[in-house]
Amino acid sequence: MTTASQVIETINARAKEVGVRVRLHAAEIDGARRIGIDENAPVVTASVFKVPIALELARQGAEGELDLGEPVTVPPGHPTPSPYGLATFRHEITTSWYDLAILMIGISDNVATDLILARVGKEPTAKTLRRLGFEHTTVPQDCREVLDSIGEDLGISYEDDEKALSELSIERIHALRALQPAHTCATTAEEITRLLGLIWRDEAASQSACADVRRWLDLQVWPHRLRSGFPDDGIRVSGKTGTLPSVRNEVGVVEYPDGGRYAVGIFTDAVDGRSRVPERDAFIGFAAAQAVEWLRLPEAGDE
């Protein structure tokens, strides 16, 4: 019988091989089994913070505080940088809050995120998180503020000088405010999986609001992290990535054809700031698969 300790040892061994430290939590959505590695340690979310923003948008829409179908006109040249999405558009577009959420989650569009957060508000988002019992999950900044702080700390442009960032010492990278949970958007691996569980059980907000968030997460396009651990076409993976210098994260829900549903949160920080290290992306899928496979054992033991 494989034990939780053995699974944790296997995950940590692979983490060491690829050059990352991991914080992890995986939990049955419809049961009590759990497995974790430093799951209560505060971690930087990077773009994972877009999940609570999506929840607040959906909640306000369901409760009539805003109209998700309201037309939103976005001119080119928004000050928030993003490597894809609205920041790359040349011409003005008109869309809706609902469709901006698809961009925010599906391709991690930073401009869409900042437009949505400005509309729903940081304090209402924080109030919802507090109401749900989350002590460490915070959204004090938008994307522009996070990225601007990196530029201020380093004196270089985060979005325009990827090579310069990759060559920085890890000590200087870790000194960035954007990589310190106390100074940026943060959570814990346990809290984010608990939030996903509430969303999947329609307990985080109304049924319609939770359904909207689930659909947005299901539309994420990136297959290289969490999805890489579950290549079977019959397994549904819904998630949200997060990336900053030395940081690769993904949180999501894995659903099996037999009805098993598992929330997973994996947060990693690396020994260097290189951005193109495929084995570190794939490690997230490996770790998630190890954890979920243990949760699916008929008689999962603790030791």
Side-chain angles (χ1 to χ4, degrees), residues 131-151:
R131 174 179 59 82
L132 294 173
F134 297 107
E135 298 179 10
H136 302 289
T137 303
T138 62
V139 185
Q141 296 174 304
D142 63 15
C143 296
R144 183 183 180 186
E145 290 169 325
V146 172
L147 298 179
D148 280 354
S149 77
I150 294 176

Side-chain angles (χ1 to χ4, degrees), residues 265-281:
I266 299 179
F267 299 83
T268 73
D269 57 87
V271 298
D272 56 58
R274 289 180 296 153
S275 63
R276 299 177 184 178
V277 192
E279 60 267 28
R280 293 177 184 167
D281 294 310

Side-chain angles (χ1 to χ4, degrees), residues 219-248:
L219 292 173
Q220 181 182 239
V221 302
W222 313 126
H224 58 307
R225 292 184 183 170
L226 192 57
R227 161 55 78 178
S228 69
F230 305 92
D232 189 323
D233 287 342
I235 301 173
R236 169 178 280 183
V237 177
S238 307
K240 181 68 203 77
T241 59
T243 308
L244 283 171
S246 83
V247 167
R248 285 173 173 80

Side-chain angles (χ1 to χ4, degrees), residues 102 105-108 216-224 227 239:
I102 292 176
I105 300 297
I107 61 170
S108 204
W216 295 331
L217 289 166
D218 186 48
L219 292 173
Q220 181 182 239
V221 302
W222 313 126
H224 58 307
R227 161 55 78 178

Side-chain angles (χ1 to χ4, degrees), residues 39-226:
E39 66 271 25
N40 295 312
V43 291
V44 169
T45 58
S47 285
V48 167
F49 84 106
K50 296 169 185 177
V51 175
I53 295 174
L55 174 62
E56 182 60 18
L57 177 69
R59 184 200 67 77
Q60 291 187 19
E63 295 184 8
E65 297 176 31
L66 59 79
D67 178 4
L68 291 176
E70 176 188 347
V72 182
T73 298
V74 185
H78 192 280
T80 298
S82 187
Y84 21 68
L86 294 171
T88 68
F89 287 14
R90 179 176 294 177
H91 305 292
E92 178 177 287
I93 68 159
T94 298
T95 183
S96 68
W97 295 114
Y98 186 96
D99 292 339
L100 283 172
I102 292 176
L103 292 175
M104 174 177 71
I105 300 297
I107 61 170
S108 204
D109 189 314
N110 291 342
V111 172
T113 302
D114 286 3
L115 291 169
I116 291 171
L117 186 55
R119 178 64 178 84
V120 302
K122 293 176 184 176
E123 182 51 38
T125 303
K127 184 177 179 181
T128 292
L129 289 168
R130 292 195 298 268
R131 174 179 59 82
L132 294 173
F134 297 107
E135 298 179 10
H136 302 289
T137 303
T138 62
V139 185
Q141 296 174 304
D142 63 15
C143 296
R144 183 183 180 186
E145 290 169 325
V146 172
L147 298 179
D148 280 354
S149 77
I150 294 176
E152 292 165 5
D153 290 347
L154 296 179
I156 61 175
S157 171
Y158 170 68
E159 68 274 13
D160 292 336
D161 209 338
E162 183 179 282
K163 183 175 185 295
L165 282 164
S166 70
E167 293 176 348
L168 291 172
S169 71
I170 196 62
E171 291 78 17
R172 192 171 182 198
I173 290 174
H174 284 168
L176 296 173
R177 286 171 290 165
L179 297 187
Q180 299 176 27
H183 299 291
T184 191
C185 302
T187 189
T188 71
E190 187 278 331
E191 284 199 354
I192 201 68
T193 55
R194 183 152 38 100
L195 176 60
L196 291 170
L198 292 174
I199 293 168
W200 254 253
R201 294 191 302 270
D202 294 330
E203 297 171 359
S206 68
Q207 184 177 20
S208 64
C210 290
D212 282 342
V213 180
R214 291 195 297 269
R215 180 170 188 264
W216 295 331
L217 289 166
D218 186 48
L219 292 173
Q220 181 182 239
V221 302
W222 313 126
H224 58 307
R225 292 184 183 170
L226 192 57

